[in-house]
Each structure stands twice: as structure tokens, then as C-alpha cells.
């Protein structure tokens, strides 16, 4: 038995990230920028905690995805714009 609480928004952001980055060829695809984009996008989105145990959550998760689809795309696009204007990868 392994039950834990997770912010499902994190999974959704990672799921959408690659698809949206692919539509923005100017985006740096290095690890640092990808994480910066994901973190920024998550700051724009409300957290959505779920209890993660069995497969039962799948339908819940699908409806969440539909509910937040537009918010996810706009949060990630906004994060991409910010990171592209001011990438932090050069500082380290
Ligand atoms: Zn980069």
C-alpha cells in the first residue's frame, strides 16, 4: 500500500510542456530552461492535489485535464515567453 498526496498540476504541466515547446522553435530546450518553464507555469496555475493510490484516479484526471486545458496552455506559453526573454542558463 503506497498512498501519497501529489499536485496533479505538475504532471499536467510536464505532459503539455513538450508539445507546446515544439510549437515555439525559438525556445531553448536545455534542461535548465525546461525546468524554469515548468516551475513558472506551475506558479501561474492553481495547485490541484489528489490522493494517489490506485488506477481509480484516471477518469478524474482526464476531466481535470479538460477543465484546465486552456489554463495550462496559456500558463506554459507565458512561462516560455518569460524564459525566452531572460534565459538563466548563461548565468551558471
Ligand atoms: Zn537554456
Amino acid at each position: 500500500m503506497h498512498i501519497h498526496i501529489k499536485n496533479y498540476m505538475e504532471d499536467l504541466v510536464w505532459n503539455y510542456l513538450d508539445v507546446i515547446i515544439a510549437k515555439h522553435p525559438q525556445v531553448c530546450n536545455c534542461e535548465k530552461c525546461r525546468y524554469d518553464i515548468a516551475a513558472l507555469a506551475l506558479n501561474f496555475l492553481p495547485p490541484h492535489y489528489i490522493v494517489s493510490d490506485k488506477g481509480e484516479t484516471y477518469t478524474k484526471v482526464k476531466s481535470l485535464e479538460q477543465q484546465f486545458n486552456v489554463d495550462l496552455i496559456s500558463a506554459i506559453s507565458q512561462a516560455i515567453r518569460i524564459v525566452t526573454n531572460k534565459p538563466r542558463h548563461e548565468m551558471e
Side-chain angles (χ1 to χ4, degrees), residues 27-34 83 87-90:
V27 176
C28 172
N29 208 20
C30 78
E31 198 80 332
K32 178 107 180 94
C33 288
R34 285 167 54 83
V83 172
R88 296 196 302 147
H89 55 202
E90 284 150 4

Side-chain angles (χ1 to χ4, degrees), residues 37 40-42 44-45 70-80:
I37 292 166
L40 267 173
L42 278 164
F44 295 138
L45 292 159
V70 174
D71 291 343
L72 277 158
I73 291 168
S74 88
I76 295 171
S77 305
Q78 203 177 331
I80 284 174

Side-chain angles (χ1 to χ4, degrees), residues 53-66:
D53 51 1
K54 294 183 202 104
E56 182 260 321
T57 49
Y58 182 75
T59 43
K60 227 183 284 175
V61 151
K62 272 284 150 200
S63 76
L64 263 184
E65 192 170 326
Q66 279 159 11

